[in-house]
Amino acid sequence: MRNRTRGAIGAALAGAIAIAAAASGGEARFVASFTWRMNDPAFGGFSGLELSEDGSRFTAISDRAGIISGTLERQEGRIVAVQAGPVEDLRDDKGQPQSQADGDSEGLAVDGSGRVFVSYEGTSRVWAYDTPDRAMPLPRAEAFKRLQTNSSLEALAIDAQGRLYTLPERSGELTRPFPVWRYDTGRWTQPFEIPRRGGFLAVGADIGPDGRFYLLEREFTGVGFRSRVRRFDMTEDGLSGETTLFESHLLRHDNLEGIAVWRDEAGAIRLTMISDDNFNFFQRTQLVEYTVPESLASSPDRP
């Protein structure tokens, strides 16, 4: 989500005098955080993330219709360097640059053939790209047209069958669940919903190699950000088995908005997340990783 109160956030962060030192609750374990920097005026604002099966290659999108790909270098399981660039423009269906209002790209999914899918928040829609040079619009569900401004299709995920799933940042009411839409055989349906819990809003989603649905959520308190990841078992008709994998303390991480879920060489499910710095000097582009130890038991290569 593009931040409309940057001055207020800056003042609040400048006045913050304490930073919590650890994430709390849940089953996931913090691995490490890496601050990524690049000398490129288009660098920043990252809201969507996808990784290769082995976690070595990535694609990310910014909320200014930008896309970047590269590789992640790890030592002892921790990210120590990023090789990537440059940031390329995601153009419209006529091959033209997008306006700021229309180019608010938020959610990212990549299928097995490498085709990229992007959900947009300004004009709520999902577009496909074989290359960044020209978009291929998907049909637009009627429900997308009724979503809140600056709070619509924030998250996007794809399953093993190539079906897309998207949901809005806000549901419209604090007690109203987040609707989840699925795109299959040329049309959108709403097979299930996700309950809202507290002040967290939906900002990213992925379907892991275990076939489960992972939801990244973010809460802005006026001073800084808190993050949470919930996991759900997924069937054709609904979600169940809700588990909170982690819920961070205030200011533990920056504004995490994109998530990729993969299995590392040890057999554990790993959550890799990226932060949206809102193109602010006082925020950071972070790559943050957690592992889910209990997933070791469900690794297909283990008894």
Side-chain angles (χ1 to χ4, degrees):
M1 178 185 68
R2 286 199 177 112
N3 203 309
R4 294 167 293 181
T5 57
R6 294 180 180 176
I9 295 176
L13 288 175
I17 59 174
I19 298 179
S24 63
E27 303 176 10
R29 296 177 183 173
F30 176 67
V31 175
S33 175
F34 177 82
T35 298
W36 178 24
R37 298 180 177 90
M38 179 180 287
N39 186 21
D40 183 338
F43 178 84
F46 293 112
S47 56
L49 180 69
E50 282 285 305
L51 265 63
S52 59
E53 287 187 7
D54 65 356
S56 65
R57 301 182 306 279
F58 78 93
T59 300
I61 58 168
S62 78
D63 59 11
R64 294 184 180 178
I67 187 168
I68 187 171
S69 296
T71 59
L72 303 176
E73 180 182 339
R74 291 184 176 82
Q75 292 180 4
E76 298 181 349
R78 299 185 174 196
I79 297 171
V80 295
V82 179
Q83 303 296 330
V87 178
E88 299 181 82
D89 290 337
L90 287 168
R91 302 206 164 211
D92 67 15
D93 55 339
K94 297 178 178 61
Q96 299 299 312
Q98 299 190 62
S99 68
Q100 182 173 337
D102 287 335
D104 191 358
S105 45
E106 296 287 348
L108 173 68
V110 181
D111 71 11
S113 70
R115 175 173 286 184
V116 170
F117 298 88
V118 177
S119 63
Y120 286 89
E121 193 175 46
T123 301
S124 306
R125 67 198 190 278
V126 178
W127 281 357
Y129 292 87
D130 286 331
T131 70
D133 299 329
R134 185 181 294 269
M136 296 172 286
L138 273 61
R140 191 176 179 217
E142 282 297 317
F144 295 172
K145 302 174 184 178
R146 299 189 292 271
L147 295 174
Q148 291 176 256
T149 302
N150 201 37
S151 298
S152 64
L153 301 181
E154 188 85 12
L156 189 67
I158 192 167
D159 66 17
Q161 297 172 253
R163 299 178 298 185
L164 295 169
Y165 298 80
T166 189
L167 66 156
E169 181 180 10
R170 297 177 185 271
S171 62
E173 294 182 10
L174 291 175
T175 57
R176 179 183 297 166
F178 298 109
V180 179
W181 291 284
R182 179 169 62 203
Y183 183 73
D184 187 22
T185 61
R187 68 188 187 99
W188 292 98
T189 59
Q190 189 200 324
F192 41 76
E193 59 189 22
I194 295 175
R196 288 183 65 161
R197 308 284 188 208
F200 287 89
L201 302 176
V203 291
D206 200 9
I207 297 171
D210 55 0
R212 289 162 163 168
F213 190 94
Y214 292 77
L215 179 67
L216 171 63
E217 298 170 289
R218 179 266 320 280
E219 180 182 37
F220 178 62
T221 66
V223 174
F225 300 97
R226 299 175 63 217
S227 299
R228 180 173 71 189
V229 171
R230 287 189 284 165
R231 183 189 64 200
F232 301 84
D233 297 324
M234 186 169 66
T235 67
E236 289 293 309
D237 303 317
L239 299 175
S240 62
E242 176 183 340
T243 301
T244 297
L245 297 179
F246 83 86
E247 184 174 310
S248 71
H249 291 305
L250 178 64
L251 296 176
R252 170 56 173 160
H253 305 303
D254 210 295
N255 178 27
L256 298 181
E257 286 206 7
I259 182 171
V261 183
W262 55 289
R263 195 182 298 279
D264 65 22
E265 60 183 11
I269 292 290
R270 186 171 290 221
L271 316 175
T272 302
M273 292 158 284
I274 194 168
S275 66
D276 175 1
D277 67 355
N278 290 302
F279 293 93
N280 284 325
F281 74 90
F282 50 82
Q283 290 185 257
R284 297 163 292 169
T285 297
Q286 290 183 314
L287 288 160
V288 176
E289 293 194 313
Y290 283 75
T291 58
V292 185
E294 66 103 33
S295 62
L296 285 167
S298 61
S299 171
D301 298 325
R302 295 172 180 265

